[in-house]
């Protein structure tokens, strides 16, 4: 018979699932993670026995719709029980789901190897972080979604139906139905050796969000395409919105011309076009 626990024992878990700050080293949460590790171990041990394998998956996850779910080992879940999957879910090896908040995965979803799903977040303030506090936001993935290898999906993101997430992509915001999220290979830019690609992206997104005349818009576009990289989709989107705001549609068209010149692979160019289609349709 399981020993009755006081309600306070479950308080941090309740905070975690409610999206509030909580202590991750809480005894109850530590025990739940330990139980999840044992359940994950059972996946590998039963992989060649279909009936026991399906049972192991159901024992690990919060919801499993059918027996067509496959989870290849090795794999990692924080809790397992906070992850809910639909029909015919397939997860390749080396994937990680930090399901501190609820993770919903729809029908016919495929994960490539080493996909990372992170509901967990930590405080930006160092002092607060040292206290051991953390938080989590749920992630939802729609039906018929393909997530390529090494892709990362961050806390709070909702991904629509029919989406393709290219290998290596980092998904930081919601994705509408039937689009491609693509990251092109990163190439270094020589005169900014101290600046990361993310910092470069943030700098130009902020520039285009605040630009207020067409000359500066053209100058910024020339500058960001002058480096030996392909600007991120977020930069292109911000530039297109700036062109619309300033009624400079010729410069907006130049975004696509510059991408065509800069991107080596035709397939990568079409991935960019697909990702930018919603804002292009607004022009």
């Amino acid at each position: 018979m399981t020993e009755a626990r006081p309600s306070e024992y479950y308080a941090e878990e309740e905070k975690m699932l409610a999206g509030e700050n909580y202590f991750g080293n809480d005894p109850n949460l530590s025990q739940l993670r330990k139980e999840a590790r044992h359940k994950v171990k059972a996946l590998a041990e039963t992989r060649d026995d279909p009936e026991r394998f399906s049972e192991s998956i159901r024992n690990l996850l919060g919801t499993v719709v059918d027996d067509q779910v496959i989870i290849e080992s090795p794999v990692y879940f924080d809790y397992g029980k906070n992850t809910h999957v639909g029909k015919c879910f397939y997860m390749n090896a080396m994937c990680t789901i930090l399901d501190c908040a609820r993770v919903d995965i729809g029908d016919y979803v495929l994960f490539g190897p080493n996909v990372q799903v992170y509901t967990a977040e930590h405080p930006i303030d160092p002092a607060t972080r040292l206290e051991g506090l953390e938080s989590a936001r749920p992630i939802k993935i729609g039906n018929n979604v393909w997530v390529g290898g090494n892709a990362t999906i961050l806390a709070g993101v909702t991904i629509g139906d029919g989406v393709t997430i290219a290998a290596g992509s980092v998904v930081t915001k919601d994705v509408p139905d039937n689009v491609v999220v693509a990251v092109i290979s990163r190439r270094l830019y020589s005169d900014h050796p101290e600046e990361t690609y993310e910092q470069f992206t943030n700098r130009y997104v902020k520039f285009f969000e605040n630009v207020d005349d067409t000359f500066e818009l053209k100058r910024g576009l020339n500058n960001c395409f002058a480096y030996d990289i392909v600007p991120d989709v977020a930069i292109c989107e911000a530039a297109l919105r700036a062109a619309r705001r300033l009624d400079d549609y010729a410069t907006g068209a130049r975004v696509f011309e510059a991408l065509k010149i800069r991107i080596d692979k035709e397939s990568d160019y079409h991935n960019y076009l697909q990702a930018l289609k919603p804002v292009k349709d607004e022009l």
Side-chain angles (χ1 to χ4, degrees), residues 16-20 22 98-101 119-121 134-138 155-156:
M16 178 181 77
L17 295 174
E20 302 172 7
Y22 68 95
L98 304 184
D99 54 346
C100 308
T119 68
E121 295 182 306
E134 52 191 89
S135 62
R137 290 185 290 154

Side-chain angles (χ1 to χ4, degrees), residues 176-225:
D177 294 347
N178 302 310
V179 301
V180 176
V181 177
V183 174
I184 307 303
S185 299
R186 305 312 191 200
R187 293 181 288 183
L188 295 177
Y189 31 99
S190 58
D191 59 340
H192 284 76
E194 78 291 346
E195 186 178 53
T196 66
Y197 186 87
E198 287 71 25
Q199 289 170 334
F200 174 87
T201 298
N202 291 337
R203 178 160 63 91
Y204 273 97
V205 167
K206 185 175 181 180
F207 171 84
F208 286 122
E209 286 177 344
N210 292 284
V211 67
D212 58 5
D213 69 68
T214 57
F215 176 81
E216 287 299 308
L217 172 62
K218 292 181 174 67
R219 184 182 66 84
L221 192 63
N222 288 337
N223 286 345
C224 75
F225 274 96

Side-chain angles (χ1 to χ4, degrees), residues 238-266:
L240 289 170
R241 293 190 185 283
R244 184 183 65 176
R245 187 172 66 249
L246 298 171
D247 293 325
D248 187 357
Y249 297 103
T251 299
R254 285 184 56 211
V255 172
F256 297 99
E257 294 171 3
L259 285 172
K260 182 70 172 178
I261 295 170
R262 176 61 68 188
I263 296 175
D264 299 325
K265 291 184 179 181
E266 189 71 20

Side-chain angles (χ1 to χ4, degrees), residues 19 29 31 40-41 66 68 71 85 88 109 134 136 141 196 208 245 248:
L29 294 177
Q31 178 61 30
V40 164
K41 183 179 178 183
D66 62 20
Q68 304 302 311
I71 299 176
V85 304
C88 298
V109 173
E134 52 191 89
I141 300 172
T196 66
F208 286 122
R245 187 172 66 249
D248 187 357

